Amino acid sequence: MVDAVTHALLALGLLTAIPVAFLVVQIGAALLPARRSVSVISMPCPRFVAVMPAHDEEAVIARSIASIMAQLPAAGHLLVVADNCSDDTARIASSAGAEVVIRQDTTRLGKGYALDHGIRALAADPPQVVIVVDADCEVAPGTLEFLAKRCVATGRPVQARYTMLAPPLPSSADKVSRLAWTIKTFVRPLGSARLGWPCQLMGSGMALPFALVTRLDLATGHLAEDQKFGAELALAGSSPLFCPDAQVVSQLPQGETGKRQQRTRWEHGHLAVIGQFFLPLIRRVVSKPSLHLLAFTLDLCIPPLTLLALSLMLIGGLNLSWFAATGAASPLVASSVVLAGFAGAIVVAWRRFGQEIISGRELAAGPAYCLLKIPSFIRFFIHRQVDWIRTER
């Protein structure tokens, strides 16, 4: 009995080593020099449309549109999908220079439905590239043309860097959340790009060939429609590429309700995507071995960092208790090595990319922040969020 439990605990520790090892590789690779890529500067700009789904965004959409209109080349166009709006989003967007289509359907809610409506509106005169930009994002100069060119040059989806700024007077939890976001959306995909591997789609700053986007099941209320689309594209042989030279910028919500809504949608949506696509991706890797698809699968299956940290601490505590009771050291050694690898990777990422985000003292309190996330992860297993809810700004 003792041996069976020891072996089970050891196996559990080794299982957690897989996502941690891949995380370590990604963060380590992010420190490497950039890979050379074919220059797209001299390419003619392809026809593209920036599609902006917007639900009750009158407070922020004018600023977002201004950042786009200031850089639209002759080949570019902006389409705003005013989705089930009860405010002046459509009027403000039109006054700011965007083309606006209105969608009203209160039975099918979610960003995916708005995207589907926008793509259908383009079908009569399709562009070469569609670039998705959220209504609360500002687009860095030159980003749209660069994304469109890179998308056409590679024939694959391209993801810009998605930067999330802290709200005014951020709490320590805000800073931990922003560091986790930076690791997920910049450090890890940068490491994958350094190794020539694909990345996940991130919702905003996504450039997709029109021929590919029409094959996606866009009309969905999935909480993590971006990661769902990325997984579908990877299964179709067109996994996304990361483009750190292009950037969209947003801000974490200020109110506690908005923060909770956003984090719950991200976390529950990510876990749902893992559950939906892990086996199909693994089957495809086994049937048609591909290092790129394996890397995409491992990247997708790294759970939210707070959940991964909680799991490692829980397993470490169980193994410590088992060692105290039985003297079996192998599970404790294995889990300690994995936990040390995880902690070391986070510290390396913080030192290179996150010291302006959070101080070392606040980072050291990260485990306490992870403990506060336990109710959210419990809700995923007993009463998870399935309906798409717009984040309160």
Side-chain angles (χ1 to χ4, degrees):
M1 178 64 179
V2 171
D3 287 345
V5 174
T6 299
H7 290 154
L9 290 173
L10 180 59
L12 186 60
L14 295 176
L15 183 63
T16 60
I18 297 174
V20 171
F22 193 76
L23 177 69
V24 169
V25 169
Q26 285 183 307
I27 292 175
L31 307 179
L32 298 175
R35 293 167 59 97
R36 290 186 178 182
S37 60
V38 178
S39 175
V40 298
I41 295 176
S42 60
M43 282 182 57
C45 184
R47 289 186 61 237
F48 72 87
V49 175
V51 177
M52 180 180 289
H55 171 63
D56 288 349
E57 300 286 5
E58 64 177 5
V60 297
I61 197 169
R63 185 170 63 250
S64 302
I65 291 175
S67 74
I68 292 175
M69 299 301 295
Q71 60 177 287
L72 270 185
H77 186 67
L78 172 61
L79 175 68
V80 171
V81 182
D83 182 43
N84 287 309
C85 292
S86 59
D87 63 1
D88 272 350
T89 293
R91 182 188 63 79
I92 293 171
S94 181
S95 298
E99 179 185 353
V100 179
V101 294
I102 295 175
R103 175 181 178 271
Q104 289 291 339
D105 185 345
T106 57
T107 63
R108 302 195 304 165
L109 304 178
K111 180 179 173 182
Y113 293 116
L115 285 175
D116 179 71
H117 190 83
I119 297 303
R120 290 177 183 274
L122 300 175
D125 184 22
Q128 292 171 270
V129 177
V130 171
I131 303 175
V132 180
V133 180
D134 282 352
D136 64 334
C137 289
E138 295 185 48
V139 182
T143 285
L144 296 177
E145 186 170 346
F146 193 86
L147 285 174
K149 289 180 177 181
R150 181 70 69 185
C151 187
V152 167
T154 61
R156 292 169 62 183
V158 179
Q159 173 64 56
R161 178 181 179 181
Y162 190 177
T163 298
M164 192 71 70
L165 303 179
L169 302 176
S171 64
S172 295
D174 291 330
K175 295 176 183 179
V176 171
S177 181
R178 187 180 169 211
L179 177 64
W181 176 264
T182 300
I183 292 173
K184 178 182 178 180
T185 63
F186 178 57
V187 181
R188 286 172 49 194
L190 180 64
S192 289
R194 295 286 194 260
L195 297 170
W197 296 343
C199 69
Q200 307 299 316
L201 291 177
M202 302 172 194
S204 189
M206 307 184 298
L208 305 103
F210 189 83
L212 286 181
V213 78
T214 55
R215 301 177 194 173
L216 293 173
D217 178 20
L218 296 175
T220 173
H222 201 290
L223 301 184
E225 80 293 326
D226 48 355
Q227 291 181 306
K228 172 183 175 292
F229 299 157
E232 290 173 344
L233 289 165
L235 285 169
S238 297
S239 50
L241 301 173
F242 185 56
C243 184
D245 297 321
Q247 182 175 212
V248 295
V249 181
S250 186
Q251 185 181 75
L252 291 169
Q254 297 187 40
E256 291 303 319
T257 299
K259 294 174 187 176
R260 184 174 61 254
Q261 289 172 339
Q262 188 177 71
R263 291 168 186 164
T264 299
R265 189 172 74 241
W266 287 345
E267 292 160 356
H268 288 198
H270 185 181
L271 292 174
V273 168
I274 293 174
Q276 180 179 354
F277 286 98
F278 173 71
L279 288 179
L281 285 166
I282 287 296
R283 283 196 295 265
R284 183 62 58 84
V285 169
V286 172
S287 63
K288 295 183 178 179
S290 165
L291 177 59
H292 284 193
L293 187 58
L294 176 61
F296 179 91
T297 303
L298 292 173
D299 183 32
L300 177 67
C301 292
I302 295 177
L305 291 181
T306 48
L307 176 59
L308 183 55
L310 278 171
S311 300
L312 295 176
M313 289 188 289
L314 174 61
I315 293 170
L318 288 174
N319 289 336
L320 180 59
S321 299
W322 187 248
F323 172 72
T326 67
S330 56
L332 180 60
V333 171
S335 62
S336 297
V337 170
V338 174
L339 181 58
F342 174 80
I346 298 302
V347 169
V348 168
W350 166 73
R351 285 183 62 86
R352 177 63 179 84
F353 301 100
Q355 291 194 64
E356 80 286 353
I357 295 175
I358 186 172
S359 69
R361 178 176 297 179
E362 290 170 313
L363 180 63
Y369 169 77
C370 293
L371 295 175
L372 296 176
K373 303 295 295 179
I374 291 176
S376 175
F377 294 122
I378 291 176
R379 284 196 299 273
F380 174 81
F381 293 103
I382 63 174
H383 186 60
R384 78 180 192 185
Q385 180 177 323
V386 294
D387 295 326
W388 200 95
I389 300 174
R390 172 190 175 274
T391 301
E392 292 186 11
R393 306 296 181 205

